[in-house]
């Protein structure tokens, strides 16, 4: 399995210029609270996705810092206004220092 | 001569095996999927691929499907090509009786058989992320297709063993599966509705686990619930039970990856 963190990201196949469209993101992450114990009684260390950033052609459109209290495999939905065709880039980090990256091309018509 | 006797004996055996299956009646004639016992929110989560957290495992399984492994340096896709075609309907038939193994084989078992014999790789540990992902990916190809498990031929003995296990009282609470899921479904156990215990949604994402889990994990959770000894993952009892459950669920759509509370 790859060490990079896994995600599923969805945007509409194409959007009109000026349209506000939804971006839906699901991250695969256990979001360990630090309060759980494994089968041998050892504490499972605190490890959550602590930051998530989305850039639209290099400009930050969403930046989020997170802590515990968010369920495992967190899911985001947020809205972005389509201005020009380009790249949506996503990046997130967890407390173990692992990171996830994803990007996709946004088709803007009209 | 002896060959002819052998064939007629086989025919007789086949008749004997198929005759009782016609008179077999299910306790629940029109089964209801477990998801219908959950709230509208949960049902919506299962229906919406963008929100269904189980799809994360399906996506991982799709990547593993194309990843080369073992001494053969082959991927699943090198032999089976496009899973949307080659794996369509497979999960609806499983578990099946395998002539070579002389035993029931479920999806997890088949994937590991392929890994060991064709890819010449180490088998994946039951309930590991990799095996769950591949199972979810393969099962997902049969989504919406009706379950159609066969209990004809040598599978019949396993079906009978599964059914015997299903109706046998066990554990410190001295309960059988059937007492909750056939006699008392639709009622509640404290705050939880008792479902019919149908298996068509598995592997499923359970909120309680915060992860995807196999049918065997779910069955082991029930065993804990009635304070019985847990059967090991992939054990004969659980395989036989899996076949009985599939037969009970015949006609229900495959939902993998299901979402359950």
């Amino acid at each position: 399995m790859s060490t990079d963190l896994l995600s599923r990201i969805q945007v509409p196949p194409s959007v009109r210029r000026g349209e506000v469209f939804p971006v839906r993101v699901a991250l695969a992450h256990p979001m360990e609270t630090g309060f759980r114990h494994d089968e041998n009684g050892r504490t499972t260390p605190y490890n959550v996705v602590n930051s998530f950033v989305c850039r639209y052609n290099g400009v930050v459109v969403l930046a989020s810092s997170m802590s515990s209290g968010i369920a495992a495999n967190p899911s985001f939905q947020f809205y972005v206004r389509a201005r020009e065709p380009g790249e949506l880039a996503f990046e997130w980090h967890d407390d173990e220092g692992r990171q996830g990256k994803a990007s996709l091309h946004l088709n803007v018509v009209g | 001569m002896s060959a002819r006797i052998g064939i007629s004996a086989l025919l007789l055996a086949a008749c004997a095996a198929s005759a009782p299956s016609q008179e077999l009646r299910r306790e629940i004639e029109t089964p209801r999927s477990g998801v219908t016992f959950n709230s509208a929110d949960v049902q919506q989560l299962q229906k919406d691929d963008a929100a269904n957290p189980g799809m994360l495992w399906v996506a991982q399984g799709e990547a593993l499907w194309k990843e080369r492994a073992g001494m053969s340096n082959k991927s699943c896709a090198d032999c089976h090509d496009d899973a949307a075609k080659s794996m369509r309907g497979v999960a609806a038939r499983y578990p099946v009786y395998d002539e070579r193994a002389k035993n029931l084989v479920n999806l997890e078992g088949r994937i590991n058989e392929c890994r060991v014999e064709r890819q010449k790789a180490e088998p994946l540990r039951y309930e590991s992320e990799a095996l769950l992902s591949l199972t979810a990916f393969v099962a997902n190809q049969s989504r919406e297709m009706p379950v159609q498990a066969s209990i004809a031929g040598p599978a019949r003995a396993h079906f009978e063993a599964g059914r015997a296990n299903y109706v046998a009282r066990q554990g410190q609470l001295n309960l059988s599966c059937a007492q909750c899921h056939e006699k008392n479904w639709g009622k509640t156990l404290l705050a939880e509705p008792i479902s019919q215990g149908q298996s068509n949604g598995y592997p499923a994402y359970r909120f309680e686990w915060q992860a995807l889990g196999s049918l065997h994990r779910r069955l082991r959770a029930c065993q804990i619930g009635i304070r019985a000894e847990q059967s090991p993952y992939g054990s004969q009892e659980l395989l036989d039970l899996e076949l009985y459950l599939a037969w009970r669920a015949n006609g229900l759509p495959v939902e993998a990856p299901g979402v359950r509370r």
Side-chain angles (χ1 to χ4, degrees):
Chain A
M1 294 189 101
S2 89
T3 50
D4 282 27
L5 299 171
L6 183 73
S7 67
R8 293 184 69 242
I9 298 171
Q10 278 198 347
V11 295
S14 73
V15 290
R16 289 188 313 278
R17 196 177 296 273
E19 185 183 337
V20 174
F21 64 93
V23 181
R24 305 177 76 183
V25 182
L27 305 179
H29 201 275
M31 300 295 277
E32 286 293 350
T33 58
F35 294 113
R36 295 203 315 152
H37 300 271
D38 66 10
E39 289 150 351
N40 302 317
R42 285 186 299 250
T43 309
T44 310
Y46 178 85
N47 176 31
V48 300
V49 173
N50 54 41
S51 76
F52 176 87
V53 177
C54 169
R55 289 185 179 85
Y56 179 16
N57 280 342
V59 179
V60 174
V61 289
L62 179 98
S64 142
S65 56
M66 294 177 284
S67 54
S68 63
I70 294 175
N73 306 307
S75 150
F76 294 87
Q77 178 166 337
F78 55 93
Y79 295 85
V80 179
R81 186 182 300 276
R83 297 203 185 278
E84 68 269 1
E87 193 193 41
L88 281 170
F90 305 84
E91 195 181 327
W92 60 102
H93 298 266
D94 74 3
D95 294 312
E96 275 182 2
R98 296 206 302 162
Q99 71 162 2
K101 267 186 179 172
S103 68
L104 51 86
H105 184 77
L106 183 71
N107 288 316
V108 180
V109 294
Chain B
M1 189 62 192
S2 65
R4 195 172 294 168
I5 293 170
I7 288 169
S8 53
L10 255 178
L11 276 173
L12 267 176
C15 290
S18 65
S21 70
Q22 283 157 1
E23 58 197 54
L24 255 183
R25 271 186 57 244
R26 297 195 290 196
E27 190 72 27
I28 300 169
E29 287 182 37
T30 46
R32 239 179 86 184
S33 167
V35 79
T36 64
F37 292 87
N38 282 256
S39 69
D41 286 354
V42 176
Q43 296 186 28
Q44 186 54 39
L45 205 59
Q46 174 174 296
K47 225 185 293 174
D48 181 358
D49 274 355
N52 184 336
M55 291 305 286
L56 285 164
W57 277 261
V58 173
Q60 181 68 52
E62 187 174 7
L64 288 174
W65 179 265
K66 296 171 189 152
E67 198 174 286
R68 295 204 162 90
M71 302 267 285
S72 75
N73 199 27
K74 277 185 170 175
S75 70
C76 307
D78 284 339
C79 291
H80 297 288
D81 205 14
D82 183 8
K85 292 198 188 93
S86 61
M87 293 295 124
R88 179 122 183 96
V90 171
R93 294 196 302 271
Y94 270 63
V96 295
Y97 184 81
D98 185 71
E99 281 298 338
R100 281 203 308 149
K102 300 259 178 270
N103 199 355
L104 278 185
V105 176
N106 61 3
L107 272 188
E108 287 90 343
R110 180 66 80 208
I111 288 166
N112 265 337
E113 186 198 296
C114 248
R115 267 186 77 83
V116 172
E117 296 191 6
R118 309 259 150 68
Q119 291 183 304
K120 314 278 180 212
E122 287 287 305
L124 299 168
R125 191 174 53 79
Y126 217 100
E127 218 59 19
S128 62
E129 288 289 301
L131 186 56
L132 277 174
S133 303
L134 270 172
T135 311
F137 174 65
V138 171
N140 185 244
Q141 309 305 320
S142 306
R143 195 148 61 156
E144 301 300 330
M145 293 179 75
V147 177
Q148 39 183 336
S150 165
I151 55 168
R156 184 58 188 260
H158 294 283
F159 166 79
E160 297 294 353
R163 180 162 66 169
N165 192 344
Y166 196 82
V167 298
R169 285 171 176 269
Q170 39 190 308
Q172 287 180 329
L173 297 190
N174 203 25
L175 284 168
S176 75
C177 312
Q179 279 174 305
C180 283
H181 297 295
E182 291 192 335
K183 306 288 182 222
N184 286 299
W185 63 266
K187 298 180 186 167
T188 57
L189 200 59
L190 298 179
E192 292 293 327
I194 304 174
S195 80
Q196 294 178 350
Q198 303 290 357
S199 59
N200 57 316
Y202 284 82
Y205 188 92
R206 265 189 100 201
F207 297 150
E208 187 185 325
W209 299 333
Q210 300 259 301
L212 194 84
S214 67
L215 179 64
H216 288 196
R217 182 171 180 191
R218 183 65 192 84
L219 294 174
R220 283 163 53 89
C222 255
Q223 287 175 323
I224 280 283
I226 57 173
R227 299 186 199 160
E229 195 181 329
Q230 283 184 303
S231 309
Y233 283 110
S235 62
Q236 193 65 51
E237 304 99 89
L238 292 183
L239 280 175
D240 293 349
L241 204 50
E242 187 172 346
L243 177 64
Y244 177 68
L245 291 176
W247 172 82
R248 264 178 105 236
N250 270 351
L252 282 178
V254 173
E255 289 171 5
V259 177
R260 299 289 186 272
R261 258 174 65 75

